[in-house]
Amino acid sequence: MLSYILLLGAAATSVSAQSVYPGVIATGTMGPTNPPQPTAGTPINQTSYSRLLTINSVDDWCLFAPPNEGAIADTETLEVAWCTKPRNNARLIPDGTITGVSFLKTDLYVQLMAYGDFTRLNIPAGDEGGELDPHGATGAGNPVGGNVTTNITGSDINIAEWMQYISYNQASRGFSHLSVCLRACTNANSTYSAAAECWHELDEMGCNFVMPGNYNFNGTFETCEADVAYPPGWYPEGVSGGTTSFSSFAQYYTGAYAVGSSSVDYTVGDTVTPSAPYSIPSSSNCATVSTISNGVALASLGVSGNAGSGSGAGPAPTGKSGSSPSRSGSGSSASSTGASGGSSNPNGAMGVARDMQLMGIAVGVVVAMISGVAVLL
């Protein structure tokens, strides 16, 4: 475990859609495959290579998935946008794919978790999937040219920091048929930056660790307000002299990469890592809808749901309808106005992402064991 002390004074920050904290709004351009702005009602194109996600509401959102059948680890630079409604020149998620959605609105991010059969989105059965983010191994993003927008703040904004974990389901991480969790960081303050709240290098830990929340929602389509979670991997240790200390850790990972005709083993991260996040934020004011069906019968249009593999339109999902006052999480949560103490991002020397599988080496610090000697690459 690595310990960090917050050294700067806390600043309670009130941020509106017109005055966004630095590091929240993306400053680059739209990817070359994308429309210049998020657009609803675009033609259905199940062979599209648009890579523009929109995350607006429980029934208006997109995710990244393969353009053709293939494991996420092999296609992460190539993923394309699939949306619940015709928009962004993207592919349409076939009705019947999604069986449950929880859409969480917090002061610092919007978070979406969904259950379903994602083999219909070209993810092979049994694929444990991977993690996608705007950085990737080369800095060009996974997928390359991928962009994310949301209007949750009142108008469309381009998100600088986001992360998506996706697989055919998350059964190996304790969630039968949970297929995706996605967070877009829409705000920040002097303690919790957008990069910290959307920290993406704990990909082996799974949705419930990196994006904690209530995952008991399959069969329901809900929108909730929620407390802010501590950034992934942060553990508050206490307050002393007006400063707050946090501990964090680097994800444990071992592997090998080729150097000429030789194979070099590497080990990164901490050998002992936590098994759960510090706390699970509470959610409240939950409202449900009975379905998020788009009503489009893809088969009647002469196209299949996943561009050549699998079935087309399926039955519209159904769920509960109504509202619930609140849900309880466990422990405390991060404050949208900052911790007692100040600002610091303790993740600068964090572990390695799954990008190693494609690039052979990590972005950042990699410790390779060569003849028993630790070498920094």
Side-chain angles (χ1 to χ4, degrees), residues 168-180:
Y168 91 106
N169 68 51
Q170 291 270 320
S172 66
R173 296 180 173 94
F175 299 106
S176 178
H177 305 301
L178 177 74
S179 299
V180 68

Side-chain angles (χ1 to χ4, degrees), residues 224-225 282-286 323-329:
C224 301
E225 297 175 1
S282 296
S283 56
S284 61
N285 299 323
C286 296
S323 63
S324 59
S326 65
R327 283 207 181 95
S328 296

Side-chain angles (χ1 to χ4, degrees), residues 228-320:
V228 174
Y230 286 107
W234 285 33
Y235 293 82
E237 293 185 322
V239 179
S240 177
T243 63
T244 301
S245 62
F246 285 90
S247 65
S248 188
F249 70 96
Q251 177 176 278
Y252 184 71
Y253 202 95
T254 61
Y257 63 93
V259 177
S261 59
S262 301
S263 178
V264 178
D265 296 330
Y266 63 81
T267 298
V268 297
D270 297 308
T271 57
V272 178
T273 58
S275 59
Y278 178 79
S279 62
I280 299 175
S282 296
S283 56
S284 61
N285 299 323
C286 296
T288 62
V289 296
S290 61
T291 180
I292 61 167
S293 169
N294 53 53
V296 177
L298 292 173
S300 70
L301 301 178
V303 296
S304 63
N306 51 355
S309 59
S311 60
T318 59
K320 304 170 187 175

Side-chain angles (χ1 to χ4, degrees), residues 346-370:
N347 297 307
M350 292 285 289
V352 151
R354 190 182 295 257
D355 299 319
M356 283 183 174
Q357 296 174 343
L358 296 180
M359 299 302 296
I361 60 174
V363 178
V365 180
V366 179
V367 181
M369 299 305 296
I370 305 177

